[in-house]
Amino acid sequence: MKRFLQRTVGIAAAALLLPFATAGQAVLAETTADTAVCHAYTGTNEEAQNYMRWAQTMQSFLTPCSDGTLMQVQADLQEGYYIAQYYSSDFQPLCAVRIAQELPLFGGFYAAGDAYYILTGQSQATDSSGTREEDDDLEVFCVTKYDRNWNRLGSCGVYGADTTVPFSAGSARMTDDGTYLLVRTCHEMYNSNGVYHQSNFTFQVNMAEMTVTDYFTDTKNMNHGYVSHSFNQFLQMDNGTLVTADHGDAYGRGVIFMRYPTDISAGTFQSNGVEYLQTLVPAGSGNGTGISVGGFACMDDQYLIAYNAVDDAEERTTYAGEKRYHYSSGSKGSFDGKMYTLPEYRNICFSMIDKKDGSYTNYQCTEYAEADGKSASTPQLVTLENGKFVLLWSEMNVVRTGEYIGYSGYNNYYSYVPDHTVYAMISDGEDADTVCFEGDLSDCQPVVYQGNVVWYVRNGDQATFYQLTPDGEIQTKTAGYSHICENGSGTCVVCGEEVQPPPESVAGDVNGDGVFDGQDAAVLQEFLLGESPVMENPSRADWNGDGTLDAFDLALMRQALCGNHEE
């Protein structure tokens, strides 16, 4: 594995390393919004992206809106509902809505075109003996479509499909080509000789008709797209070609990249053969592979996969399984008969895969070791313009919490406690600058918003937004959640608090001065022309009520100013 050098140290074509000693300290500027209103929410997503053996579905999402605002979707705030909270460009809470869940298990959220999509699922019933039903008529996966105002437009599902538990020991992600939505997730399968095996699961949806056009659940070789076990799933569309990445522990084992040659515009992604390779192949066996995968991206000429890993192949052999032998004197000839869970000191790595010939290079970016008592979290990956990318990870303290385990034990007797230090490596694939700052990551995939890399960490009823500028400056802003009142009621449906209604707004008063006049039309025109990136009161400018600001709204606004607007 090659080492990746920071630019300030000097780049060479051979072995590369990014030392911490030269990492710059980011500028940290924090402001706090005091506009939190609903205090009923509990829980946290702090470092929820981090996993040791298998991942879990993400619960936190950010989506920049066309009017310049930012929408947060949080799936675990209120039982039976998902919360969509809107923030202004300076992260002030504007309003929130809640969306009733379709099926009881949440899989993921995705925004495409003029619609939103939510993936849910449900498990097969279990009888008193613990045996799961295998009902082929049970809807186990469901994709529900909404317009941008969260009106439900329809849904489609997958039934039976050799699935007892959807999303089991893994995650779910979605992508699209403008016509079809592709879903890459995982499931626990039907009973096979007394065992419920787990693997990845992929299906395809026609977004206009909301019909499932293809899905793959067969137990086959990897050249059909099958990975088992698959503990984390990623996918992208690369100019009409479906490409995927899985964290596998057996068939195959390690970081598994796949490229599907099928033209998905025909409504199917399956083919007779899938191009695949393993960019990192850990030794050993068992669910513990010594790696976790955090990001997958398509660059201009290469694919990029980000992950953490125990330092080298020899250590991955030592640390491969949950149960590990301990020798009392440290010598391999003196086994004391007990089973120990040894700590894993993981480093940040990434693989660059050439699109033309499939060749790849693995790079290691850090040098954590046992003497440090620290390890790297599962990373997050964000792509920028001009071939640049940002790799983010948190520093974790490795803390011993027990002595030893029995032969049947699967407890981890070392815990990984966040150090509340985040590193951000900004790179073009050759040079890199790294900054570190106080803070945390979460299961929120960072997005590019107003030219910055933005994510949030939620603690209870407060969300802290992190903004990383292209030059490495960090700013944070803490904001709360809006009350949600429905059906004209003045009572918040989340906390039960009586809410004072806001003062009545003036239609067309885009600039918020209390008057509808020509200045408001000028503000809307500047926004539509791209001269102003933010529209602070978009609902007042949406004259035709279609949820989109465009030239039609500007024309209607001008008619109203001239006294010709027809209600």
Side-chain angles (χ1 to χ4, degrees):
M1 179 178 290
K2 290 188 176 181
R3 310 278 177 168
F4 200 73
L5 254 184
Q6 185 184 7
R7 179 178 57 81
T8 54
V9 180
I11 286 293
L16 302 175
L17 167 67
L18 175 64
F20 284 89
T22 56
Q25 181 68 37
V27 178
L28 182 64
E30 180 174 359
T31 55
T32 302
D34 57 2
T35 54
V37 287
C38 185
H39 300 288
Y41 301 123
T42 59
T44 181
N45 64 1
E46 182 179 297
E47 300 300 336
Q49 91 292 349
N50 186 56
Y51 71 99
M52 297 300 292
R53 294 186 182 90
W54 49 73
Q56 56 282 320
T57 56
M58 295 176 292
Q59 306 289 306
S60 314
F61 303 84
L62 280 180
T63 300
C65 301
S66 60
D67 60 5
T69 60
L70 191 64
M71 180 181 70
Q72 174 196 122
V73 175
Q74 190 72 40
D76 56 358
L77 286 178
Q78 186 182 24
E79 184 176 358
Y81 296 90
Y82 312 122
I83 304 298
Q85 170 70 52
Y86 294 84
Y87 294 92
S88 65
S89 59
D90 60 349
F91 303 100
Q92 295 287 344
L94 298 174
C95 62
V97 297
R98 65 175 186 171
I99 304 96
Q101 67 180 22
E102 198 86 359
L103 296 181
L105 300 178
F106 179 77
F109 163 80
Y110 185 71
D114 59 357
Y116 299 137
Y117 299 86
I118 287 183
L119 172 66
T120 55
Q122 63 180 326
S123 300
Q124 299 275 358
T126 303
D127 65 20
S128 58
S129 68
T131 301
R132 298 189 180 97
E133 292 184 4
E134 298 179 358
D135 182 359
D136 288 335
D137 294 323
L138 180 72
E139 186 176 25
V140 290
F141 292 101
C142 175
V143 175
T144 307
K145 181 179 181 180
Y146 304 85
D147 66 17
R148 290 287 173 137
N149 293 317
W150 288 105
N151 297 304
R152 188 182 185 279
L153 300 178
S155 69
C156 60
V158 177
Y159 294 79
D162 196 22
T163 299
T164 58
V165 182
F167 319 125
S168 174
S171 62
R173 290 175 175 85
M174 293 173 269
T175 190
D176 77 284
D177 72 340
T179 301
Y180 292 100
L181 180 74
L182 279 300
V183 180
R184 185 81 157 191
T185 183
C186 57
H187 66 153
E188 185 179 280
M189 295 181 281
Y190 286 175
N191 189 321
S192 175
N193 298 319
V195 179
Y196 296 98
H197 290 289
Q198 188 265 14
S199 75
N200 59 358
F201 188 102
T202 306
F203 65 98
Q204 183 171 346
V205 172
N206 184 307
M207 295 189 292
E209 300 176 359
M210 287 305 292
T211 56
V212 175
T213 62
D214 194 16
Y215 70 86
F216 178 80
T217 185
D218 296 339
T219 302
K220 290 188 175 182
N221 295 327
M222 284 173 56
N223 60 1
H224 291 275
Y226 176 79
V227 178
S228 177
H229 304 118
S230 174
F231 291 151
N232 206 353
Q233 302 81 34
F234 299 81
L235 79 172
Q236 296 283 349
M237 289 301 304
D238 182 25
N239 295 319
T241 298
L242 176 63
V243 289
T244 65
D246 289 71
H247 171 194
D249 85 328
Y251 305 100
R253 185 170 178 82
V255 183
I256 315 300
F257 167 82
M258 294 184 175
R259 180 160 52 187
Y260 289 71
T262 307
D263 180 5
I264 70 165
S265 64
T268 179
F269 61 88
Q270 297 189 57
S271 63
N272 292 327
V274 173
E275 177 186 357
Y276 72 90
L277 58 87
Q278 295 166 284
T279 69
L280 180 68
V281 186
S285 62
N287 291 165
T289 59
I291 65 173
S292 67
V293 185
F296 176 47
C298 295
M299 312 295 283
D300 291 338
D301 301 316
Q302 295 175 309
Y303 302 111
L304 175 61
I305 305 176
Y307 51 95
N308 69 13
V310 176
D311 192 39
D312 55 40
E314 181 179 354
E315 286 190 90
R316 283 195 295 277
T317 302
T318 305
Y319 299 133
E322 293 91 345
K323 295 178 286 186
R324 301 171 179 123
Y325 292 100
H326 169 73
Y327 296 90
S328 58
S329 66
S331 167
K332 292 186 178 181
S334 176
F335 178 54
D336 67 1
K338 297 178 180 179
M339 297 285 277
Y340 287 76
T341 299
L342 303 180
E344 293 183 344
Y345 299 94
R346 299 189 181 188
N347 282 290
I348 295 298
C349 309
F350 65 90
S351 297
M352 299 291 287
I353 305 167
D354 189 277
K355 290 185 178 182
K356 293 181 180 180
D357 60 15
S359 63
Y360 66 92
T361 304
N362 296 332
Y363 296 95
Q364 181 174 317
C365 306
T366 61
E367 283 195 313
Y368 289 108
E370 184 173 358
D372 304 324
K374 295 182 181 295
S375 182
S377 73
T378 307
Q380 292 277 27
L381 174 66
V382 192
T383 56
L384 306 176
E385 295 179 346
N386 302 319
K388 291 186 176 182
F389 63 90
V390 178
L391 194 54
L392 297 146
W393 67 93
S394 294
E395 199 166 72
M396 313 293 283
N397 293 313
V398 183
V399 180
R400 184 171 181 169
T401 57
E403 292 299 325
Y404 66 91
I405 60 177
Y407 284 91
S408 62
Y410 282 86
N411 293 319
N412 191 337
Y413 274 72
Y414 282 83
S415 61
Y416 299 83
V417 180
D419 189 58
H420 305 297
T421 301
V422 175
Y423 286 84
M425 186 183 81
I426 306 171
S427 175
D428 60 3
E430 295 182 0
D431 297 340
D433 288 316
T434 300
V435 296
C436 63
F437 52 90
E438 181 181 343
D440 293 284
L441 298 177
S442 72
D443 64 341
C444 168
Q445 168 63 40
V447 300
V448 178
Y449 177 61
Q450 296 181 334
N452 300 323
V453 175
V454 177
W455 71 96
Y456 73 95
V457 176
R458 184 182 71 85
N459 283 291
D461 56 11
Q462 298 286 303
T464 299
F465 290 89
Y466 292 82
Q467 305 168 75
L468 174 66
T469 67
D471 58 3
E473 180 183 349
I474 289 291
Q475 294 182 337
T476 66
K477 182 111 178 224
T478 300
Y481 289 87
S482 304
H483 286 298
I484 301 176
C485 299
E486 298 174 345
N487 302 319
S489 169
T491 302
C492 177
V493 295
V494 178
C495 66
E497 184 176 326
E498 290 296 324
V499 179
Q500 182 70 28
E504 185 174 348
S505 61
V506 177
D509 179 24
V510 177
N511 61 8
D513 63 359
V515 179
F516 172 46
D517 54 24
Q519 294 182 15
D520 299 298
V523 170
L524 176 58
Q525 178 174 306
E526 290 176 359
F527 175 76
L528 295 176
L529 292 175
E531 297 174 358
S532 174
V534 177
M535 175 67 66
E536 294 293 349
N537 298 290
S539 61
R540 301 179 188 178
D542 184 17
W543 279 87
N544 58 8
D546 63 355
T548 302
L549 297 182
D550 51 31
F552 293 105
D553 297 302
L554 181 60
L556 291 172
M557 179 179 285
R558 287 172 174 168
Q559 287 181 5
L561 287 170
C562 295
N564 296 325
H565 178 58
E566 297 181 7
E567 298 293 336

